[in-house]
Amino acid sequence: MSGCAQSAVKSVARNRHVNGHCGIATRGARRRKNPPAACTTSSFGVDRGSLPVSFHLTTPPCVSKLRAGRLRAKKVDDAEFVITEKLMDSEKAPAEDDEEVATSFTRTLAAIVANPLFYVVGGFAMIKIVSMLGEQVGTILALSALPVVGLTLISKSGAGLKVKAGLEDRLPALEAEAEVERAKQLIARQNSPFYGRERPKWLGPLAYEYPTYLRGEVAGDCGFDPLGLSSTPKAFARNYECELLHARWAMLAAVGAIIPEYLAMTGLDIGEPIWWKVGAAKLSGDLVLNYAGIEGFRIAGKQGLWAIAACQVVLMGGPEYARYVGLKGLEPVGIFIPGDSNYPGSALFDPFKLAADPSTLANQAVAEIKHGRIAMLTLLGYAAQAAVTGKGPLENLMDFIADPAHNNVLAYLPK
């Protein structure tokens, strides 16, 4: 019924500005005592023959079903009619408001679920829920899959389809704004000393014939590709994306590997604090892993190694699929990402607007890839030390500080 009312309202809104024209024509006809022969009356009470062809009204088939009618035609005399509007006496108007609220709520809910910060806050909530419901593998897997399943259900719902349609209407303007921002970022990189032909190279002032396809267009391009692995645009884009992903994971892992060991040194019971021993300890015994050594502060830490791996696959499957299909994959839930897959931007990935300024973004991108490369080398060092000394990185550091003359790489060389 509400669809009928909307159809009727649209018809009247489209023709409201021609009412004066209709009235003039009919009043002229009244003065002549005879209406125009070609003039016919629509069920809205408007004389069709007195309107231009493009303004002729068509009667929606559902108008007759409106009892009090949002639109009501009142006859003034034999030739003149006035269209009046009146809100329906039923609950139709509140229903439309409810639909708008539902659409707005759905859009907000999708933005929250897609936000990376949701996984941080949701992780704490998940820990509490798991402890209340019991640490069962099925419960943990269901909660891990909740974000991606929730987004899928939102995109398929009626309100979700309205959210998508609303975004499609705004896409041209949003894409135009994104193009402007990308142009500003390009200008910022051109003005930065870390990009372009005059950027710092990996050999510094030494003479060297650098690859011509490395032109300093991206952050961290110092002309290093001795094997020619990125000689084609497709290979370059792929390798740059992989390097950036590994750099970001490495920065997290470099810190994550030493925090449990540090907490164990302070006296907390971590279970197994050495990063490379955790897997073997899980396989060989009933080791329970608690976050920060806090009893019960865990999601799957009491489960076996395979259950933990399954939870990781389910939890990361959604974000990885979104990354694979591209940023357009979020548009079905009404989310527009203005950047690219490497630097997406928006409130989802830059909630504090730390990179809102194009010059700041250009410099931060360089700093990020530099720190990421150091972190990747750091993890390589962790692995080498573990293979040689059988200890964790912090314990190796403490041994070196205690006796640097004897506890160093020379002590482990073959004699």
Side-chain angles (χ1 to χ4, degrees), residues 146-168:
L146 188 60
V148 64
V149 173
L151 285 174
T152 302
L153 293 177
I154 289 173
S155 67
K156 302 298 183 182
S157 66
L161 294 175
K162 291 184 179 180
V163 169
K164 181 183 178 181
L167 177 63
E168 290 175 348

Side-chain angles (χ1 to χ4, degrees), residues 1 3-12 14-15 42-44 48 56-66 71:
M1 189 69 173
C4 298
Q6 292 175 2
S7 177
V9 168
K10 290 179 180 178
S11 297
V12 171
R14 186 174 62 247
N15 296 280
S42 73
S43 60
F44 281 101
R48 294 181 188 270
H56 283 177
L57 297 178
T58 57
T59 304
C62 54
V63 170
S64 59
K65 299 180 182 179
L66 300 176
L71 306 171

Side-chain angles (χ1 to χ4, degrees), residues 122-134 143 296-299:
F124 289 99
M126 186 174 176
I127 290 171
K128 182 65 176 177
I129 294 173
V130 168
S131 64
M132 292 173 57
L133 299 179
L143 290 174
F297 193 52
R298 58 181 180 264
I299 295 178

Side-chain angles (χ1 to χ4, degrees), residues 67-333:
R67 291 191 295 271
R70 170 168 292 181
L71 306 171
R72 187 171 55 188
K74 183 183 294 184
K75 184 175 181 180
V76 177
D77 57 31
D78 293 337
E80 185 175 8
F81 295 86
V82 178
I83 294 179
T84 60
E85 297 184 27
K86 179 181 178 182
L87 287 177
M88 295 181 64
D89 299 328
S90 63
E91 301 80 18
K92 300 307 177 184
E96 290 179 2
D97 293 338
D98 291 342
E99 289 179 0
E100 293 179 0
V101 171
T103 302
S104 177
F105 174 77
T106 302
R107 183 186 299 107
T108 303
L109 180 62
I112 292 174
V113 176
N115 197 313
L117 293 178
F118 170 81
Y119 289 83
V120 178
V121 179
F124 289 99
M126 186 174 176
I127 290 171
K128 182 65 176 177
I129 294 173
V130 168
S131 64
M132 292 173 57
L133 299 179
E135 300 179 42
Q136 303 297 323
V137 176
T139 302
I140 296 171
L141 288 176
L143 290 174
S144 299
L146 188 60
V148 64
V149 173
L151 285 174
T152 302
L153 293 177
I154 289 173
S155 67
K156 302 298 183 182
S157 66
L161 294 175
K162 291 184 179 180
V163 169
K164 181 183 178 181
L167 177 63
E168 290 175 348
D169 292 338
R170 295 183 291 118
L171 267 183
L174 293 173
E175 290 175 347
E177 293 177 3
E179 285 296 331
V180 172
E181 288 301 315
R182 282 191 283 269
K184 292 180 180 179
Q185 294 168 9
L186 177 60
I187 294 173
R189 289 195 297 269
Q190 291 173 344
N191 295 331
S192 172
F194 301 108
Y195 299 82
R197 294 184 180 277
E198 303 303 322
R199 70 194 185 283
K201 310 293 197 307
W202 71 283
L203 287 178
L206 299 180
Y208 180 77
E209 186 176 350
Y210 293 97
T212 57
Y213 52 85
L214 298 180
R215 297 184 290 270
E217 297 174 348
V218 299
D221 178 4
C222 57
F224 182 82
D225 189 19
L227 301 180
L229 300 178
S230 301
S231 57
T232 65
K234 183 177 180 180
F236 178 85
R238 173 62 178 166
N239 290 338
Y240 184 73
E241 179 185 13
C242 290
E243 181 187 30
L244 196 55
L245 283 172
H246 284 84
R248 289 166 176 169
W249 280 116
M251 286 187 283
L252 291 172
V255 177
I258 62 176
I259 288 179
E261 191 176 355
Y262 170 76
L263 293 177
M265 289 181 177
T266 63
L268 288 177
D269 183 13
I270 302 297
E272 177 52 70
I274 308 302
W275 67 273
W276 60 272
K277 294 181 180 180
V278 176
K282 260 295 186 184
L283 288 174
S284 60
D286 297 328
L287 176 66
V288 177
L289 299 175
N290 296 300
Y291 291 114
I294 303 174
E295 178 59 35
F297 193 52
R298 58 181 180 264
I299 295 178
K302 194 176 180 180
Q303 307 299 323
L305 190 62
W306 298 113
I308 295 176
C311 291
Q312 288 291 329
V313 170
V314 173
L315 188 62
M316 293 303 300
E320 282 298 305
Y321 175 75
R323 183 181 65 83
Y324 173 76
V325 299
L327 300 178
K328 293 286 186 182
L330 290 174
E331 290 184 3
V333 290

Side-chain angles (χ1 to χ4, degrees), residues 18-28 45-48 50-51 79-81:
V18 300
N19 288 346
H21 174 81
C22 179
I24 292 172
T26 53
R27 282 195 293 272
V46 177
D47 292 338
R48 294 181 188 270
S50 63
L51 298 178
E80 185 175 8
F81 295 86

